Every structure is written in structure tokens, then in C-alpha cells.
Amino acid sequence: MMTINATRSGHGACGASLPDKRNAIASLIAGGLCLFALGFVLNVHPARAAGIVDQPKRADFKGERASLDVLQMADWVLDSGNNRNLPFMIVDKKNARAFVFHSGGELRGAAAVLLGAAVGDDSVPGIGERPLSSMLPEERTTPAGRFVAALDRNIHGKDILWVDYAAAISLHPVITGNPKERRAERLATPSSLDNRVSFGCINVPVAFFNNIVTPAFRNTNGVVYVLPETRPLQQVFGELDAIELARLAR
């Protein structure tokens, strides 16, 4: 009877001893687990922590035109999972437009918006506790940042979407009570230069609020990303660094 003793000789087909092969495999597994854990500690996708170049997830704008900042932001939100599988909105202050997305990154709709009359990305501390009549012109800003948003009613019983509750910043249907402000006309013009008029809240067309915003945020929280106008994206959204921006380039 022929005895096959290749395995007993301690060497495999590649010429490495079995203990050496086992050690090598164990090292590879341990290294992979470390990289996987490192990715979660640093809030980085494990594949990226391992140096693997993966294809980023892309938001579907369905042909809607958007600025580069909005494109990059939407792709990053979807690819990183920053929205925690919730519906989300991106407000582009530079171009006075809002984009509402399903949780999976498909665009629901986009529209022009009215913003705070003052240019700036921060709210004055305590501004949400003060009456509107006390707000100075330079304090009427729409703050930039990431906000967990929810539908509610204001003190007058009107539907709103709370964006920054502490600063009393909400998104709501356009208010037309003061004819001198011409808010509806400002929304209708093709230019974004005349869209700065509010005390800080975000005004949107009535149909957009009723048909896009309300269904998106009904019975659920969502995330609103208000993009900065005086600072780079990375300064407001720290995880969106230069490496991520380069990887997400379309």
C-alpha cells in the first residue's frame, strides 16, 4: 500500500510548514480585525481604514441641478450613513435652495428658500429666548450645521419643521403677512440675491412644504444640513475632510 505522508512531513504544496502557515493566517485575521475595529473607533468605513478604495454611494438628484457643495454633501451623508437612515434635507444658503431626500438618498424635491437677512453661520447665544423686536439686523442669521428636525406647530397653530429649537429656527411655509417684504415674489425670482429677508427662519413655498417636506418628515425625525456661507464645509462638518471630498468627487 502506498503511504502519502506529505502532510506528515510538515510542508504544504507551497513549501511552507503548517505551523508557519497557521501563524500567517492568524496574523492576517488579527490584522483585519484590528483594522475593522480601528475604522469604528475613528468613525471611518472599515474598508477605507484597511486602505481599500471603494466606490462611494451616490445620492440620486434625478436630474435636478445643484451646486458642488450640495452634491458632495449629499453623497457624503449617504455614503457615511450620517443621516442614520432618516430622511434628510440640505439647505444651500449660498444659492438659497433646499433639497429633500428619502433616507436612501433619492431626491424628493427641491425649491427656492428665503433665509435670515444677515450673512453668517452662527446664532447669537440666547437668541431663541428673545422677542423678534429685540433682534439687531446683524443678528438675523440662519445658522449652519447638522440638526435633528421634527414637524410641530408653532404658538399660532401653524405647521412648521423645527430645525434648531434652541435658537428658535424653523422651516415653514412662506409668511406673506407684511406686503412690504414681498416674500412670495422673492421666492419666485430666478436670482438668489433677494432671498435674504427673514429673522433667521427658513421660508419655503407652500406647495413644497405641504407636498415634499411634510410627507418626508411625517411620523419620523429627520436630519437637516444647513451648509455654511462664510466657512468651508470641513469647518462645520468635521468628518468631511479633504480626503473624503477627493474620494467623493464626481
Side-chain angles (χ1 to χ4, degrees):
M1 178 181 294
M2 183 180 295
T3 302
I4 300 175
N5 58 7
T7 56
R8 292 179 180 272
S9 67
H11 294 275
C14 295
S17 67
L18 288 177
D20 288 343
K21 290 174 69 178
R22 293 192 189 101
N23 290 339
I25 292 171
S27 297
L28 286 172
I29 293 172
L33 289 173
C34 287
L35 287 170
F36 190 85
L38 178 63
F40 279 103
V41 170
L42 298 178
N43 200 20
V44 177
H45 193 289
R48 293 166 215 160
I52 300 172
V53 179
D54 59 331
Q55 292 299 317
K57 296 179 181 178
R58 301 290 189 190
D60 182 3
F61 280 80
K62 298 187 178 296
E64 182 74 30
R65 296 183 63 181
S67 68
L68 179 60
D69 282 352
V70 172
L71 294 173
Q72 290 178 326
M73 193 70 195
D75 287 346
W76 173 73
V77 168
L78 184 63
D79 187 65
S80 67
N82 189 272
N83 63 321
R84 302 297 188 264
N85 202 36
L86 293 172
F88 65 98
M89 178 190 305
I90 297 176
V91 178
D92 180 3
K93 290 203 291 179
K94 292 179 182 178
N95 296 288
R97 287 188 68 76
F99 302 80
V100 178
F101 296 87
H102 293 274
S103 60
E106 292 183 348
L107 184 71
R108 274 183 176 267
V113 298
L114 301 180
L115 301 162
V119 174
D121 292 317
D122 300 295
S123 292
V124 175
I127 196 73
E129 302 297 325
R130 291 165 47 187
L132 294 179
S133 59
S134 73
M135 293 177 62
L136 301 174
E138 63 270 19
E139 295 177 331
R140 300 173 184 179
T141 58
T142 300
R146 179 189 188 274
F147 305 96
V148 177
L151 291 170
D152 199 357
R153 292 178 182 269
N154 63 16
I155 59 174
H156 304 293
K158 303 293 186 181
D159 291 330
I160 63 172
L161 179 74
W162 277 119
V163 176
D164 185 352
Y165 187 85
I169 299 296
S170 66
L171 180 146
H172 53 71
V174 60
I175 296 174
T176 58
N178 186 349
K180 293 182 179 179
E181 292 181 335
R182 300 175 49 255
R183 294 197 180 196
E185 290 84 351
R186 290 170 185 266
L187 276 176
T189 64
S191 173
S192 61
L193 298 178
D194 59 352
N195 289 40
R196 312 304 295 254
V197 66
S198 79
F199 283 86
C201 286
I202 304 164
N203 287 212
V204 299
V206 175
F208 181 74
F209 187 89
N210 292 338
N211 300 330
I212 302 296
V213 176
T214 298
F217 290 84
R218 182 182 288 126
N219 299 323
T220 182
N221 288 340
V223 184
V224 175
Y225 301 88
V226 181
L227 305 189
E229 55 188 337
T230 64
R231 301 197 295 268
L233 283 177
Q234 302 95 307
Q235 287 189 15
V236 177
F237 306 99
E239 297 173 24
L240 185 58
D241 57 21
I243 296 175
E244 277 294 272
L245 286 174
R247 193 181 70 85
L248 294 170
R250 286 178 174 246

